[in-house]
Amino acid sequence: MRSHYCGQLDDSHVDHEVELCGWVHRRRDHGGVIFIDLRDRDGLAQVVFDPDLADVFATAESVRNEFVLKVKGRVRLRPEGTENPDLPTGKVEILGKELTILNKSETPPFMLNVDDEGVGEEHRLKYRYLDLRRPEMLQRLRFRSKITRVLRNYLDDNGFLDVETPMLTKATPEGARDYIVPSRTHEGQFFALPQSPQIFKQLLMVAGVDRYYQIVRCFRDEDLRADRQPEFTQLDIETSFLDESTIMAMMEGMIRKLFAEVLEVALPDPFPRMSYAEAMERFGSDKPDLRIPLELVSVNDVLADVEFKVFSGPAKDPKGRVAALRLPKGCELSRKEIDDYTKFVGIYGAKGLAYIKVNEVAKGREGMQSPILKFMPDEAITTIMERTGAEDGDLVFFGADQASIVNEALGALRVKLGHDRGLVEHGWKPLWVVDFPMFEWDEKNDRWTSLHHPFTSPNEEHIPLLESDPGACLSRAYDMVLNGTELGGGSMRIYREEVQEQVFRALGIEDEEARDKFGFLLDALKYGCPPHGGLAFGLDRLVMLMTGAKSIRDVMAFPKTQSAACLMTDAPSGVSEAQLKELHIRKRVKPKTAE
């Protein structure tokens, strides 16, 4: 039906006869001449209809926005002074000779020829098939397709095989909540949708596949954020007989190639590396945004003996931390702004936000303003100013509490201040974070949990610590971080049965439960499992970063809302009693509460 896409036309097509198909993006009647901007997935083309062809002109008068048209006409240069430099097709227009209305459209619930700022997200998601017609959204889908093509090509060229793994699998006790699928043929039994293909890709290494990848859908029944969805897409990778340095170098090469081909950006070679401990110490986060030049500075030793127990208590506590964060020219902040930042850190559990305004460093105590100065000896004040590098006009914030709370609160404050104060450097700052702890302590359940997942290999020299001191055990894990976002996480895997059993025991998974949940994996490790490792990249998150979108919902064709619902299809929804009966399920009626 068409000879060209609308967005393909330029001055090389002048005097060519073309046939176009698409939607009416905008119709303009200029007193005897009708202009129609015709839109398809490639872009816009301006079509001109004049009264010389009465039937065609009459049809053009009847069209409205979002009608589906077929146009036949001749390409010509636009008259001098009417070119549109903002459009790739802006030098030319099509003189319409034939016009067919393929389908009419009702008035859309929102305008598609304006940006999304004035349209509520729920409205956009309810009519997602219309929202996706907008050039910005189509461009993101095209961009996403280009990204996956480059990634596939790189992995194919490096000997990886694209292998599919099951969507219906076994529920496991670790990680987020599973989406459960009842079995009709196995009464009372359930499948789970995979949170990741982790175990299956390890089994593929046992099988000798050697290098595997998959662009795969994953499912997690968890609370949502701007960068989380109940179903999301991973680029999943696993390889045998390579150590972590080689895997990391190969993955760096892939991301460098991606940015070079898609964005024409040269990323550093190699990416810098930073230990987990250093990242937490300096930035309060294991995914630091290196574009922001602010850093946390520990001052436990300086404030351990001050009379102010808000500081001295955490400073003496082995699990506590007192940290300072210097904001250049922070004295410009008003009291209201400081109060707003105090409320902000409260979101992360901080009980307050102490600060010192540094008017004149050389004057010491006399050149500063703060209600906490009276609790600090001169020596402590001098040391803090030197350690933070404070200068005249700066402001120094303090956090004092459990280390986890201080890190999270000041780490988040660091990022917010960076954006609020215009301190974020332009460009891309990738790095690897390495040397993660194997475990973290779950206070609520009084047990160790995996910082990554229970199949991550410990450092060889730390294997004896699995039983004696799990908290001191480091893993062979590595995360790729870009501009404060975790692009991908991975590790070397456990490939010996006895080590996997030790890790399960450290996690409080007894032998019987381990055998019930992971018996097939433990059996596989007995049959010559090779050393192997890999990682998974969050594809939605990667596309979001590269397109500059605000949310991963803006780079997915049919996302869910914050409450994990699809407004367009009205899912989730109820099912019939007959379906429930087939699945051997009976809904439990909640008892009525007393008035």
Side-chain angles (χ1 to χ4, degrees), residues 33 235 240 309 329 336 345 352 417 449 509 589:
V33 179
L235 171 61
S240 298
K309 291 186 178 179
K329 300 180 181 179
K336 182 184 183 305
V345 296
L417 288 171
T449 60
I509 302 174
V589 179

Side-chain angles (χ1 to χ4, degrees), residues 542-569:
L542 176 60
V543 179
M544 179 184 73
L545 275 178
M546 294 181 72
T547 59
K550 297 176 182 177
S551 162
I552 61 171
R553 291 188 294 277
D554 287 332
V555 298
M556 303 171 76
F558 300 103
K560 303 293 189 292
T561 65
Q562 287 281 3
S563 60
C566 176
L567 299 179
M568 184 181 67
T569 63

Side-chain angles (χ1 to χ4, degrees), residues 429-442:
K429 295 278 189 175
L431 81 155
W432 287 103
V433 178
V434 297
D435 296 331
F436 285 86
M438 271 288 288
F439 310 104
E440 57 184 346
W441 184 252
D442 182 348

Side-chain angles (χ1 to χ4, degrees), residues 93-138:
E93 62 187 13
I94 297 89
L95 178 61
K97 295 182 176 181
E98 297 179 16
L99 174 61
T100 304
I101 297 177
L102 298 176
N103 207 349
K104 296 182 179 181
S105 171
E106 294 185 4
T107 301
F110 51 85
M111 298 293 289
L112 275 66
N113 53 18
V114 297
D115 61 34
D116 59 14
E117 294 298 325
V119 183
E121 186 181 50
E122 288 194 0
H123 215 46
R124 291 173 54 209
L125 292 179
K126 181 175 177 61
Y127 298 96
R128 188 62 163 186
Y129 44 85
L130 296 178
D131 188 44
L132 289 176
R133 287 185 190 173
R134 294 190 300 115
E136 179 183 28
M137 297 301 294
L138 284 171

Side-chain angles (χ1 to χ4, degrees), residues 3-243:
S3 63
H4 297 76
Y5 282 95
C6 295
Q8 294 175 343
L9 301 179
D10 56 30
D11 51 7
S12 68
H13 296 95
V14 170
D15 291 329
H16 288 204
E17 295 286 330
V18 296
E19 294 183 55
L20 306 176
C21 293
W23 288 263
V24 177
H25 191 65
R26 185 183 291 107
R27 174 189 171 278
R28 307 184 302 281
D29 191 335
H30 286 192
V33 179
I34 293 175
F35 294 87
I36 290 177
D37 292 336
L38 196 66
R39 183 192 72 241
D40 61 22
R41 72 173 200 185
D42 264 22
L44 297 174
Q46 178 172 282
V47 187
V48 183
F49 298 94
D50 61 42
D52 292 348
L53 299 171
D55 290 346
V56 175
F57 190 80
T59 303
E61 284 185 311
S62 71
V63 305
R64 296 293 181 266
N65 283 6
E66 300 311 310
F67 276 30
V68 188
L69 307 182
K70 178 183 177 182
V71 173
K72 185 174 182 178
R74 180 175 57 84
V75 181
R76 67 185 187 186
L77 290 173
R78 295 194 188 192
E80 186 175 350
T82 66
E83 300 92 342
N84 185 347
D86 296 329
L87 284 180
T89 60
K91 291 184 178 180
V92 298
E93 62 187 13
I94 297 89
L95 178 61
K97 295 182 176 181
E98 297 179 16
L99 174 61
T100 304
I101 297 177
L102 298 176
N103 207 349
K104 296 182 179 181
S105 171
E106 294 185 4
T107 301
F110 51 85
M111 298 293 289
L112 275 66
N113 53 18
V114 297
D115 61 34
D116 59 14
E117 294 298 325
V119 183
E121 186 181 50
E122 288 194 0
H123 215 46
R124 291 173 54 209
L125 292 179
K126 181 175 177 61
Y127 298 96
R128 188 62 163 186
Y129 44 85
L130 296 178
D131 188 44
L132 289 176
R133 287 185 190 173
R134 294 190 300 115
E136 179 183 28
M137 297 301 294
L138 284 171
Q139 178 59 23
R140 286 173 181 163
L141 293 185
R142 289 170 62 87
F143 197 93
R144 182 182 179 120
S145 179
K146 185 174 182 180
I147 287 173
T148 58
R149 183 170 67 251
V150 172
L151 295 172
R152 285 185 185 277
N153 289 343
Y154 181 89
L155 293 167
D156 289 341
D157 291 345
N158 280 274
F160 286 80
L161 302 181
D162 183 356
V163 183
E164 293 180 345
T165 53
M167 283 288 106
L168 295 175
T169 184
K170 187 180 182 74
T172 59
E174 290 295 317
R177 288 183 294 271
D178 289 317
Y179 277 100
I180 301 299
V181 182
S183 170
R184 179 182 60 82
T185 53
H186 299 273
E187 183 174 350
Q189 303 296 306
F190 297 84
F191 295 105
L193 298 180
Q195 295 185 31
S196 83
Q198 181 61 46
I199 295 179
F200 287 104
K201 67 179 180 179
Q202 290 190 242
L203 295 175
L204 287 172
M205 297 303 101
V206 180
V209 169
D210 193 78
R211 293 189 180 189
Y212 142 96
Y213 82 92
Q214 184 183 188
I215 294 178
V216 60
R217 216 57 172 157
C218 301
F219 306 86
R220 293 179 187 173
D221 186 7
E222 59 184 354
D223 297 331
L224 306 179
R225 298 198 302 265
D227 59 347
R228 293 280 176 89
Q229 281 278 293
E231 53 178 327
F232 57 94
T233 305
Q234 283 185 182
L235 171 61
D236 207 53
I237 297 168
E238 199 78 6
T239 182
S240 298
F241 304 114
L242 297 180
D243 61 19

Side-chain angles (χ1 to χ4, degrees), residues 344-483:
F344 174 78
V345 296
I347 297 171
Y348 302 92
K351 299 180 181 70
L353 185 62
Y355 65 91
I356 296 176
K357 283 191 172 184
V358 184
N359 298 317
E360 292 184 63
V361 176
K363 290 185 176 180
R365 177 191 303 276
E366 302 305 318
M368 302 176 192
Q369 293 175 268
S370 173
I372 65 171
L373 286 170
K374 60 187 176 184
F375 300 111
M376 294 184 178
D378 290 344
E379 184 180 351
I381 294 171
T382 300
T383 303
I384 290 170
M385 294 301 115
E386 290 175 351
R387 195 173 291 183
T388 59
E391 299 176 356
D392 293 353
D394 291 350
L395 186 146
V396 180
F397 287 112
F398 293 87
D401 209 310
Q402 293 292 304
S404 58
I405 293 176
V406 172
N407 288 338
E408 193 170 4
L410 287 191
L413 178 63
R414 169 185 174 270
V415 173
K416 184 168 178 58
L417 288 171
H419 286 277
D420 289 353
R421 303 288 293 174
L423 300 175
V424 182
E425 297 173 12
H426 179 72
W428 302 94
K429 295 278 189 175
L431 81 155
W432 287 103
V433 178
V434 297
D435 296 331
F436 285 86
M438 271 288 288
F439 310 104
E440 57 184 346
W441 184 252
D442 182 348
E443 297 280 356
K444 183 177 179 180
N445 295 302
D446 195 31
R447 61 187 283 263
W448 292 106
T449 60
S450 298
L451 194 67
H452 279 77
H453 56 64
F455 317 110
T456 298
S457 174
N459 282 352
E460 287 293 322
E461 62 270 26
H462 289 175
I463 289 176
L465 299 175
L466 289 171
E467 293 185 11
S468 62
D469 189 5
C473 186
L474 296 183
S475 70
R476 298 174 69 184
Y478 37 83
D479 284 0
M480 185 186 290
V481 177
L482 180 65
N483 290 5

